[in-house]
Amino acid sequence: MPESVTGPSVFVQTWGCQMNEYDSARMVDVLAKDRGATRVTRPEDADIILLNTCSVREKAAEKVFSQLGRWRDLKEENPALVIGVGGCVASQEGHAIREREPLVDMVFGPQTLHRLPQMLDNVADNGAGTVDVAFPEIDKFDHVPPASAEGATAFVSIMEGCSKYCSFCVVPYTRGEEISRPFDDVILEVVELADQGVKEVTLLGQNVNGYRGPMHDGSVCDLAMLVEHVAEIEGIERIRFTTSHPLEFSDALIDAYARVPELANDLHLPVQSGSDDVLAAMNRGYTAAHFRERIARLREVRPDISLSTDLIVGHPGEGEEEFEATMDLVEAVGFDSAFSFVYSSRPGTPAADMADNESREVKRQRLSRLQARIAEFNQAYMRSVVGTRQRVLVERESKRGDGQLAGRADCNRWVNFDAHPRLIGQFVDVDVTEALDNSLRGQLVIHEPAEVGPSTEAEAVGG
């Protein structure tokens, strides 16, 4: 494998959720520490190509092989190029990936990414490739270097795996049972990120509100307590978390929304269906009434909170009556955003063996109706924000151009406004003036100094 003085170049293609984005960043961190590697943005420039996969995608394995086929020419031109497949599809398929596509040198699961340097050594030593998709007893977090920040926002993984075993989901089989990181380790990572200028953290887990982190005194910390401690870290001004499970959306966590102003004014809480029969078939463990009660309780402390969810249309057992129950739930809750999909079977999951009598066309029609209604709720919510003042963390220059900046408001909506690029990475106040289909427009609020006298430029324009 050709290496420059500063180490190999690494290209990472990431598919899937925020957990996969986090894992991809940690892959680069591991290789940067151990090999002096640098990340590049084009596979053509890389000495190492890593594909971090997601099993949630329909026909996930086939899409992996399709992507690998597009890299075949690169491997033929440079036989020393190392190609690795990681993530959930790698965990699920294991040796079958290398058997079908010999150009792959490494196959590794989400729990073994910290072993990448050893895998590279194996490839260099014997040229035969390596497969490591175990669920090691020792947590991977014990072996990855401290997190590095790229901007004012960062993901922090607080737990791995899932023990819910929903009928449609492969995560327990690809990431293993739930393991919570120790409280002190999470706090240390957030402190290190804050020291690098991070102002907003998103706490990650497949079932993040199932967090039960051991503390140094032998007690256990839940997500509500963790949020309160993270909010006390100097420099951290906003906290988000994902993905939650309604069964463990506790009173303590709802109370945190009342007590912790740093907790962002948005929640992603996947309900999947509004039918109790379908929820039971999905093995979700709650009813539609329970979900409604949790949301009603939350809105008592955060009346204007932005609510998003996940919805599956056409799970085995869903007929017209069950779908209408989902529409009833959507009407009652008024989700202003949703990730919604037609059910597709995942090999190895219980739902794959369930009878499914509805046609694909009927499912698509239902999905279109569902998405159209949620789009209406989204537009109503966006219009409700017009005329308000939002606290925005400026993340980048706007994709719209015209010298505008873009940042996320507390409600997780993008806001575009005119301002100088020096404000990137800062919190500012923006008066929202217009709602578009997928973003907001606004005007930067100029805060005058409290008294006449010398002042810094930041005091004149900051929020």
Side-chain angles (χ1 to χ4, degrees):
M1 179 176 60
E3 297 186 12
S4 65
V5 174
T6 58
S9 55
V10 182
F11 172 80
V12 185
Q13 177 77 52
T14 307
W15 292 340
C17 63
Q18 291 97 331
M19 286 292 293
N20 271 24
E21 292 180 31
Y22 177 88
D23 283 348
S24 291
R26 302 324 298 270
M27 293 175 197
V28 176
D29 288 342
V30 167
L31 294 177
K33 179 183 178 182
D34 193 88
R35 301 297 165 93
T38 56
R39 191 169 187 171
V40 294
T41 58
R42 301 194 322 150
E44 296 86 353
D45 299 329
D47 301 307
I48 303 168
I49 294 177
L50 302 177
L51 176 59
N52 192 10
T53 63
C54 174
S55 291
V56 174
R57 297 164 64 100
E58 188 174 3
K59 299 180 180 178
E62 292 307 311
K63 291 180 179 178
V64 168
F65 291 112
S66 177
Q67 179 62 69
L68 291 171
R70 288 192 284 271
W71 289 334
R72 186 171 291 111
D73 289 345
L74 297 178
K75 185 77 167 183
E76 291 175 354
E77 293 170 5
N78 177 19
L81 173 67
V82 175
I83 296 179
V85 177
C88 292
V89 173
S91 181
Q92 195 171 19
E93 299 292 328
H95 287 274
I97 291 178
R98 291 202 71 247
E99 291 170 0
R100 179 170 167 181
E101 188 51 89
L103 68 82
V104 174
D105 301 289
M106 305 183 299
V107 179
F108 56 97
Q111 306 289 14
T112 55
L113 64 86
H114 59 285
R115 297 175 179 168
L116 276 171
Q118 293 95 318
M119 296 182 214
L120 288 172
D121 287 341
N122 290 340
V123 171
D125 290 344
N126 57 42
T130 182
V131 177
D132 189 349
V133 293
F135 296 145
E137 294 182 5
I138 298 176
D139 192 350
K140 75 181 181 187
F141 297 105
D142 294 336
H143 298 275
V144 295
S148 58
E150 296 180 4
T153 65
F155 294 132
V156 177
S157 182
I158 66 172
M159 63 186 300
E160 275 281 350
C162 184
S163 303
K164 289 293 184 283
Y165 290 92
C166 298
S167 65
F168 53 84
C169 185
V170 300
V171 167
Y173 312 102
T174 59
R175 285 186 177 265
E177 296 280 317
E178 291 172 7
I179 301 175
S180 295
R181 292 181 70 186
F183 167 82
D184 288 346
D185 291 358
V186 174
I187 294 298
L188 177 61
E189 182 168 328
V190 177
V191 169
E192 290 172 341
L193 290 168
D195 288 342
Q196 298 175 62
V198 168
K199 294 180 172 61
E200 175 184 309
V201 293
T202 300
L203 307 177
L204 297 179
Q206 265 75 33
N207 175 31
V208 71
N209 52 356
Y211 176 75
R212 299 294 184 271
M215 304 182 75
H216 57 273
D217 62 359
S219 61
V220 174
C221 176
D222 64 7
L223 180 60
M225 182 186 298
L226 179 64
V227 164
E228 295 199 29
H229 282 280
V230 170
E232 294 175 358
I233 295 173
E234 184 176 357
I236 299 301
E237 301 182 47
R238 183 184 285 164
I239 303 167
R240 304 186 194 273
F241 59 84
T242 195
T243 294
S244 294
H245 192 289
L247 199 59
E248 293 178 292
F249 195 71
S250 65
D251 284 340
L253 189 54
I254 293 172
D255 291 341
Y257 277 94
R259 295 193 306 269
V260 183
E262 291 86 357
L263 192 52
N265 202 35
D266 78 293
L267 169 67
H268 183 71
L269 190 61
V271 66
Q272 305 299 359
S273 174
S275 162
D276 288 346
D277 288 343
V278 174
L279 289 171
M282 289 177 166
N283 194 35
R284 293 292 285 176
Y286 55 85
T287 63
H290 171 85
F291 187 91
R292 293 189 190 194
E293 183 276 330
R294 292 288 81 191
I295 296 302
R297 171 88 168 76
L298 175 64
R299 280 182 164 150
E300 290 176 1
V301 300
R302 290 281 184 98
D304 61 342
I305 192 167
S306 171
L307 290 171
S308 60
T309 194
D310 293 346
L311 291 162
I312 296 175
V313 173
H315 185 277
E318 181 189 88
E320 190 64 30
E321 181 179 348
E322 290 76 21
F323 174 71
E324 290 299 333
T326 294
M327 293 300 297
D328 289 344
L329 178 70
V330 168
E331 291 293 331
V333 174
F335 300 107
D336 51 81
S337 180
F339 297 98
S340 50
F341 312 90
V342 168
Y343 167 79
S344 59
S345 178
R346 297 291 179 267
T349 60
D353 297 324
M354 296 180 183
D356 184 4
N357 300 317
E358 295 285 354
S359 70
R360 187 80 172 177
E361 181 58 31
V362 168
K363 294 177 183 180
R364 289 190 180 278
Q365 291 173 359
R366 291 174 181 166
L367 179 66
S368 295
R369 180 182 161 202
L370 172 68
Q371 290 178 334
R373 187 66 182 112
I374 290 175
E376 292 174 351
F377 279 120
N378 174 58
Q379 287 306 302
Y381 182 86
M382 298 281 271
R383 290 192 297 270
S384 75
V385 180
V386 174
T388 67
R389 179 165 293 181
Q390 296 290 320
R391 190 162 180 260
V392 174
L393 178 55
V394 189
E395 295 191 30
R396 55 174 170 77
E397 294 185 5
S398 173
K399 293 180 179 178
R400 302 179 62 88
D402 300 327
Q404 290 193 322
L405 301 183
R408 288 189 187 272
D410 210 37
C411 60
N412 207 27
R413 296 307 201 276
W414 282 103
V415 184
N416 297 288
F417 56 96
D418 292 323
H420 194 281
R422 64 174 170 265
L423 292 180
I424 293 175
Q426 304 298 317
F427 276 100
V428 298
D429 289 332
V430 178
D431 287 336
V432 178
T433 58
E434 184 180 2
L436 304 177
D437 288 341
N438 298 303
S439 63
L440 301 165
R441 282 183 176 177
Q443 184 173 358
L444 178 69
V445 177
I446 306 298
H447 292 283
E448 298 296 336
E451 59 185 44
V452 177
S455 63
T456 66
E457 187 176 47
E459 288 173 335
V461 299

Short mmCIF file of all heavy atoms in Angstrom, two decimals, residues 204-231:
data_model
loop_
_atom_site.label_atom_id
_atom_site.label_comp_id
_atom_site.label_asym_id
_atom_site.label_seq_id
_atom_site.Cartn_x
_atom_site.Cartn_y
_atom_site.Cartn_z
N LEU A 204 -26.18 10.01 20.65
CA LEU A 204 -26.63 8.98 19.71
C LEU A 204 -26.78 7.62 20.36
O LEU A 204 -26.00 7.23 21.23
CB LEU A 204 -25.63 8.84 18.56
CG LEU A 204 -25.40 10.04 17.64
CD1 LEU A 204 -24.35 9.68 16.60
CD2 LEU A 204 -26.69 10.47 16.98
N GLY A 205 -27.76 6.89 19.87
CA GLY A 205 -27.94 5.50 20.22
C GLY A 205 -29.08 4.93 19.41
O GLY A 205 -29.99 5.66 19.01
N GLN A 206 -29.05 3.62 19.14
CA GLN A 206 -30.18 3.02 18.44
C GLN A 206 -31.46 3.14 19.28
O GLN A 206 -32.54 3.27 18.75
CB GLN A 206 -29.91 1.53 18.16
CG GLN A 206 -29.33 1.27 16.79
CD GLN A 206 -27.86 1.66 16.71
OE1 GLN A 206 -27.15 1.55 17.69
NE2 GLN A 206 -27.41 2.12 15.56
N ASN A 207 -31.31 3.10 20.58
CA ASN A 207 -32.42 3.29 21.52
C ASN A 207 -31.91 4.23 22.60
O ASN A 207 -31.72 3.85 23.75
CB ASN A 207 -32.85 1.95 22.10
CG ASN A 207 -33.92 2.10 23.17
OD1 ASN A 207 -34.73 3.01 23.13
ND2 ASN A 207 -33.91 1.20 24.14
N VAL A 208 -31.69 5.48 22.22
CA VAL A 208 -30.89 6.40 23.04
C VAL A 208 -31.51 6.66 24.40
O VAL A 208 -30.80 6.85 25.39
CB VAL A 208 -30.64 7.72 22.27
CG1 VAL A 208 -31.91 8.54 22.15
CG2 VAL A 208 -29.53 8.52 22.91
N ASN A 209 -32.85 6.66 24.48
CA ASN A 209 -33.43 6.91 25.81
C ASN A 209 -33.49 5.64 26.66
O ASN A 209 -34.03 5.66 27.77
CB ASN A 209 -34.80 7.60 25.72
CG ASN A 209 -35.77 6.90 24.80
OD1 ASN A 209 -35.42 5.91 24.16
ND2 ASN A 209 -36.99 7.39 24.74
N GLY A 210 -32.91 4.56 26.16
CA GLY A 210 -32.67 3.39 27.00
C GLY A 210 -31.30 3.43 27.66
O GLY A 210 -30.87 2.45 28.28
N TYR A 211 -30.59 4.57 27.55
CA TYR A 211 -29.25 4.70 28.12
C TYR A 211 -29.27 4.42 29.62
O TYR A 211 -30.09 4.99 30.36
CB TYR A 211 -28.71 6.10 27.86
CG TYR A 211 -27.36 6.37 28.51
CD1 TYR A 211 -26.20 5.82 27.98
CD2 TYR A 211 -27.26 7.15 29.66
CE1 TYR A 211 -24.96 6.05 28.57
CE2 TYR A 211 -26.03 7.39 30.26
CZ TYR A 211 -24.88 6.84 29.71
OH TYR A 211 -23.67 7.06 30.30
N ARG A 212 -28.38 3.57 30.06
CA ARG A 212 -28.20 3.26 31.47
C ARG A 212 -26.69 3.15 31.73
O ARG A 212 -26.13 2.07 31.81
CB ARG A 212 -28.89 1.95 31.85
CG ARG A 212 -30.40 1.94 31.64
CD ARG A 212 -31.14 2.90 32.55
NE ARG A 212 -32.60 2.79 32.39
CZ ARG A 212 -33.31 3.48 31.51
NH1 ARG A 212 -32.69 4.34 30.69
NH2 ARG A 212 -34.62 3.33 31.42
N GLY A 213 -26.04 4.30 31.86
CA GLY A 213 -24.59 4.33 31.97
C GLY A 213 -24.11 4.15 33.40
O GLY A 213 -24.57 4.86 34.30
N PRO A 214 -23.20 3.20 33.61
CA PRO A 214 -22.65 3.03 34.96
C PRO A 214 -21.84 4.25 35.39
O PRO A 214 -21.10 4.83 34.59
CB PRO A 214 -21.76 1.79 34.82
CG PRO A 214 -21.46 1.69 33.36
CD PRO A 214 -22.62 2.27 32.63
N MET A 215 -21.99 4.63 36.66
CA MET A 215 -21.27 5.77 37.22
C MET A 215 -20.21 5.28 38.18
O MET A 215 -20.24 4.13 38.65
CB MET A 215 -22.24 6.74 37.91
CG MET A 215 -23.35 7.23 36.99
SD MET A 215 -24.47 8.42 37.77
CE MET A 215 -23.44 9.89 37.80
N HIS A 216 -19.24 6.14 38.48
CA HIS A 216 -18.09 5.72 39.28
C HIS A 216 -18.48 5.30 40.69
O HIS A 216 -17.74 4.56 41.35
CB HIS A 216 -17.05 6.84 39.34
CG HIS A 216 -17.58 8.12 39.87
ND1 HIS A 216 -18.18 9.06 39.07
CD2 HIS A 216 -17.61 8.62 41.14
CE1 HIS A 216 -18.56 10.09 39.81
NE2 HIS A 216 -18.23 9.84 41.07
N ASP A 217 -19.64 5.77 41.19
CA ASP A 217 -20.06 5.41 42.55
C ASP A 217 -20.93 4.17 42.59
O ASP A 217 -21.47 3.82 43.64
CB ASP A 217 -20.79 6.59 43.20
CG ASP A 217 -22.07 6.98 42.46
OD1 ASP A 217 -22.38 6.34 41.42
OD2 ASP A 217 -22.75 7.91 42.91
N GLY A 218 -21.06 3.49 41.45
CA GLY A 218 -21.84 2.27 41.40
C GLY A 218 -23.29 2.46 41.00
O GLY A 218 -24.01 1.48 40.78
N SER A 219 -23.74 3.71 40.91
CA SER A 219 -25.11 3.98 40.51
C SER A 219 -25.21 3.99 38.98
O SER A 219 -24.21 3.80 38.28
CB SER A 219 -25.59 5.31 41.09
OG SER A 219 -24.79 6.38 40.63
N VAL A 220 -26.41 4.22 38.48
CA VAL A 220 -26.66 4.20 37.05
C VAL A 220 -27.27 5.53 36.61
O VAL A 220 -28.16 6.06 37.28
CB VAL A 220 -27.61 3.04 36.67
CG1 VAL A 220 -27.98 3.10 35.19
CG2 VAL A 220 -26.96 1.70 36.98
N CYS A 221 -26.79 6.05 35.51
CA CYS A 221 -27.26 7.32 34.96
C CYS A 221 -28.20 7.06 33.79
O CYS A 221 -27.84 6.33 32.86
CB CYS A 221 -26.06 8.16 34.51
SG CYS A 221 -26.49 9.71 33.70
N ASP A 222 -29.39 7.65 33.81
CA ASP A 222 -30.28 7.53 32.65
C ASP A 222 -30.09 8.74 31.74
O ASP A 222 -29.29 9.64 32.03
CB ASP A 222 -31.74 7.37 33.08
CG ASP A 222 -32.28 8.59 33.83
OD1 ASP A 222 -31.59 9.63 33.91
OD2 ASP A 222 -33.42 8.50 34.34
N LEU A 223 -30.82 8.77 30.63
CA LEU A 223 -30.61 9.83 29.65
C LEU A 223 -30.97 11.20 30.23
O LEU A 223 -30.28 12.19 29.97
CB LEU A 223 -31.43 9.56 28.39
CG LEU A 223 -31.30 10.61 27.29
CD1 LEU A 223 -29.85 10.74 26.80
CD2 LEU A 223 -32.22 10.29 26.11
N ALA A 224 -32.02 11.28 31.03
CA ALA A 224 -32.42 12.56 31.61
C ALA A 224 -31.31 13.14 32.47
O ALA A 224 -30.98 14.33 32.37
CB ALA A 224 -33.70 12.40 32.41
N MET A 225 -30.71 12.30 33.30
CA MET A 225 -29.62 12.76 34.15
C MET A 225 -28.41 13.14 33.32
O MET A 225 -27.75 14.15 33.58
CB MET A 225 -29.24 11.67 35.16
CG MET A 225 -28.13 12.09 36.14
SD MET A 225 -27.57 10.73 37.19
CE MET A 225 -29.10 10.35 38.06
N LEU A 226 -28.11 12.35 32.27
CA LEU A 226 -26.97 12.65 31.42
C LEU A 226 -27.15 14.01 30.74
O LEU A 226 -26.21 14.81 30.68
CB LEU A 226 -26.81 11.55 30.37
CG LEU A 226 -25.64 11.74 29.39
CD1 LEU A 226 -24.31 11.70 30.11
CD2 LEU A 226 -25.69 10.69 28.29
N VAL A 227 -28.34 14.28 30.24
CA VAL A 227 -28.61 15.56 29.60
C VAL A 227 -28.33 16.72 30.55
O VAL A 227 -27.72 17.73 30.17
CB VAL A 227 -30.07 15.61 29.09
CG1 VAL A 227 -30.50 17.04 28.78
CG2 VAL A 227 -30.23 14.74 27.84
N GLU A 228 -28.75 16.58 31.79
CA GLU A 228 -28.53 17.65 32.76
C GLU A 228 -27.04 17.88 33.00
O GLU A 228 -26.58 19.02 33.12
CB GLU A 228 -29.26 17.34 34.06
CG GLU A 228 -30.78 17.31 33.90
CD GLU A 228 -31.51 17.45 35.23
OE1 GLU A 228 -30.96 18.10 36.14
OE2 GLU A 228 -32.63 16.93 35.34
N HIS A 229 -26.28 16.80 33.07
CA HIS A 229 -24.83 16.94 33.30
C HIS A 229 -24.13 17.52 32.07
O HIS A 229 -23.22 18.36 32.21
CB HIS A 229 -24.22 15.59 33.68
CG HIS A 229 -24.46 15.20 35.10
ND1 HIS A 229 -23.71 15.69 36.15
CD2 HIS A 229 -25.39 14.37 35.66
CE1 HIS A 229 -24.15 15.18 37.29
NE2 HIS A 229 -25.16 14.38 37.02
N VAL A 230 -24.53 17.09 30.88
CA VAL A 230 -23.92 17.63 29.67
C VAL A 230 -24.20 19.13 29.56
O VAL A 230 -23.35 19.92 29.15
CB VAL A 230 -24.44 16.88 28.42
CG1 VAL A 230 -24.00 17.59 27.14
CG2 VAL A 230 -23.94 15.44 28.42
N ALA A 231 -25.39 19.54 29.97
CA ALA A 231 -25.76 20.96 29.90
C ALA A 231 -24.90 21.83 30.80
O ALA A 231 -24.78 23.04 30.57
CB ALA A 231 -27.23 21.13 30.27
#
